[in-house]
Amino acid sequence: MPSPANRIWTLMARKLNHEISVDELQELEQLLRQHPDEHYAVEIITEQWEQSTNRNTADLEKSFGKLWDAIETREFNQLTTAPPEPFIPQRNYSLKKLVWLCLAAASVIGIGIFVVNLLSDNAAQKTAYITPNEITTKYGSKTKLLLPDSTQVWLNSGSKLTYNNNYGKKLREVKLTGEAYFDVVKNPDKPFIIHTERMDIKVLGTAFNVKCYPGEKQVETSLIRGSIEVTLKSRQSEKIILKPNEKLILTNDEYSRSSANNKKQAGKTNRERVAEALVSIMPVTYDNADKEIIETAWVHNKLVFNKERFEDLALRMERWYGVSISFKDDRLRNNRITGTFENETVQQALQALQYTTRFKYTIDKNEIILFR
């Protein structure tokens, strides 16, 4: 029986060649959800494939061939994954074999960000998520990466992590948009600093989660072990120290105050409103079923929600499944829902939600409409 990784590459080859069935597409979706580490390599290959206007051209073979050449000539001392047996380099390969070869290459490089630079001869054609120091995940995908100092980062869907070429020389600084879980290698001489839109987080060596999606009402950081120092952009003089299993939540006043009070705030600038954002520190949340920490369950490929507003859950499901969800009936937005999704497709997830919440839905490709 083939390993899950090999099965993913088999199904990806069939998908790229338009040979995949509906059942196989569902199987591929479930496998990728079970093995998020494979997402990054899959996205690289898929992007390169989609950018090629003529898939039978010599340029396409040259571009993919360069990836394999890079792998053959580089030293991968820290990589433990070798190309699977069926994927032996061949110079005169058919298009289908080329797909298999490149998927094998993807499994070798894993998170080898330095290699993906070779995927395109034209730097202007590179998309954001295959540049050397910027990693982006699309909706419906997640990835795990290794920074130059061996710090591990799990990047959730719809997120972006960037760092400059000076990383690790004096400081270890990154910028995050979206959500990520960090397991930072301890180095007292070179603090690790995460910059987000509304707060900075400084650590020496620890594990924690940061959630800072643009436009969302709350920014969160949850500490699993070690300690972190949080500085709010609007209150530079304040330093907030978190202890293990504590969570800091920053909520804008526009979401937390009453409508009447908001009217009084209407004349204030954005800077003044952000300065009045509410800060709260509370324990992380555990799932009653398996005692797993809800804030970091996504790292283990679980979407866990506890008495969550349907509107907020729908936003998470959009990123989780790579879909768009809208409400035709506003009364559904405030329904509170508890549950866990792991291997379910988006349709299976919606059907499960119908057991606890009365609603109907329509699906048109990636567009989902909820109504009563």
Side-chain angles (χ1 to χ4, degrees):
M1 184 176 181
S3 68
N6 283 354
R7 182 57 178 166
I8 288 174
W9 303 132
T10 299
L11 294 173
M12 277 301 302
R14 292 180 60 79
K15 180 180 178 181
L16 294 177
N17 279 332
H18 302 288
E19 299 174 358
I20 195 167
S21 67
V22 174
D23 290 341
E24 287 173 331
L25 273 173
Q26 292 180 346
E27 180 187 357
L28 176 60
E29 179 183 344
Q30 291 186 356
L31 283 171
L32 286 174
R33 298 184 66 75
Q34 293 169 1
H35 301 277
D37 291 359
E38 306 291 346
H39 273 293
Y40 186 68
V42 167
E43 285 188 6
I44 292 174
I45 297 301
T46 302
E47 176 68 19
Q48 180 66 13
W49 185 267
E50 291 175 350
Q51 283 186 352
S52 305
T53 56
N54 185 345
R55 294 174 183 166
N56 293 314
T57 62
D59 289 341
L60 177 60
E61 294 200 2
K62 179 182 177 181
S63 182
F64 283 157
K66 286 180 67 177
L67 174 61
W68 186 260
D69 289 339
I71 292 171
E72 286 184 320
T73 57
R74 296 294 293 243
E75 291 184 7
F76 292 92
N77 295 331
Q78 296 185 11
L79 293 178
T80 58
T81 305
E85 282 293 327
F87 303 135
I88 300 175
Q90 299 179 34
R91 291 305 175 202
N92 297 316
Y93 34 71
S94 67
L95 186 60
K96 188 170 183 178
K97 289 182 179 179
L98 179 62
V99 175
W100 285 88
L101 177 61
C102 290
L103 293 175
S107 69
V108 174
I109 64 173
I111 55 171
I113 300 170
F114 51 83
V115 176
V116 299
N117 232 4
L118 301 171
L119 283 172
S120 173
D121 293 326
N122 185 354
Q125 294 178 351
K126 294 175 185 174
T127 55
Y129 60 84
I130 60 172
T131 56
N133 300 339
E134 182 174 294
I135 306 93
T136 301
T137 52
K138 295 179 179 179
Y139 276 20
S141 67
K142 297 181 286 295
T143 193
K144 178 183 176 182
L145 57 131
L146 201 66
L147 294 179
D149 65 333
S150 296
T151 287
Q152 298 181 78
V153 183
W154 288 257
L155 201 60
N156 207 349
S157 57
S159 303
K160 180 171 67 175
L161 184 80
T162 59
Y163 60 94
N164 59 36
N165 292 328
N166 293 324
Y167 179 93
K169 292 182 179 180
K170 292 184 178 179
L171 296 175
R172 297 176 291 168
E173 294 184 276
V174 300
K175 183 177 180 180
L176 173 67
T177 302
E179 184 171 16
Y181 178 83
F182 297 86
D183 194 344
V184 180
V185 172
K186 189 171 184 178
N187 187 340
D189 298 326
K190 296 178 181 179
F192 187 89
I193 301 173
I194 302 170
H195 298 287
T196 74
E197 183 180 9
R198 297 174 59 196
M199 67 173 67
D200 295 328
I201 302 169
K202 181 180 179 181
V203 304
L204 296 178
T206 186
F208 58 101
N209 194 78
V210 181
K211 183 180 179 182
C212 54
Y213 284 104
E216 288 202 359
K217 60 186 176 183
Q218 292 183 337
V219 176
E220 300 180 6
T221 181
S222 305
L223 181 61
I224 307 306
R225 68 169 188 271
S227 66
I228 58 176
E229 177 187 275
V230 180
T231 304
L232 306 183
K233 294 290 182 68
S234 58
R235 309 175 193 175
Q236 293 289 336
S237 61
E238 297 181 26
K239 307 295 182 183
I240 303 172
I241 306 297
L242 287 188
K243 299 177 182 179
N245 294 326
E246 284 187 337
K247 173 173 67 173
L248 181 147
I249 301 176
L250 177 63
T251 306
N252 269 350
D253 73 311
E254 61 184 293
Y255 295 100
S256 58
R257 301 177 189 273
S258 67
S259 299
N261 201 23
N262 272 337
K263 291 179 181 178
K264 298 178 182 179
Q265 303 290 323
K268 296 190 176 182
T269 65
N270 286 338
R271 182 180 295 275
E272 289 171 329
R273 292 173 67 82
V274 170
E276 294 182 358
L278 298 184
V279 178
S280 57
I281 299 176
M282 60 184 63
V284 296
T285 312
Y286 284 87
D287 181 19
N288 291 330
D290 55 15
K291 302 303 179 183
E292 185 170 26
I293 298 176
I294 291 180
E295 286 81 3
T296 59
W298 68 269
V299 177
H300 307 293
N301 207 41
K302 293 181 180 180
L303 180 62
V304 182
F305 41 100
N306 182 27
K307 297 180 181 179
E308 191 163 343
R309 292 175 65 246
F310 203 170
E311 183 177 28
D312 296 333
L313 174 59
L315 187 58
R316 295 177 65 194
M317 290 177 66
E318 284 184 332
R319 292 191 292 260
W320 192 261
Y321 291 106
V323 298
S324 173
I325 301 177
S326 59
F327 290 84
K328 194 173 181 180
D329 189 328
D330 287 339
R331 293 175 297 176
L332 291 171
R333 296 178 183 272
N334 291 319
N335 285 10
R336 297 283 176 173
I337 306 175
T338 297
T340 300
F341 296 143
E342 188 168 0
N343 298 320
E344 292 83 357
T345 65
V346 65
Q347 189 165 355
Q348 290 171 336
L350 290 169
Q351 290 171 351
L353 291 176
Q354 286 180 316
Y355 285 104
T356 58
T357 305
R358 291 181 56 193
F359 71 94
K360 299 178 183 179
Y361 65 88
T362 61
I363 299 180
D364 182 10
K365 296 181 180 178
N366 288 332
E367 302 287 333
I368 298 174
I369 299 177
L370 307 179
F371 59 96
R372 286 190 183 275

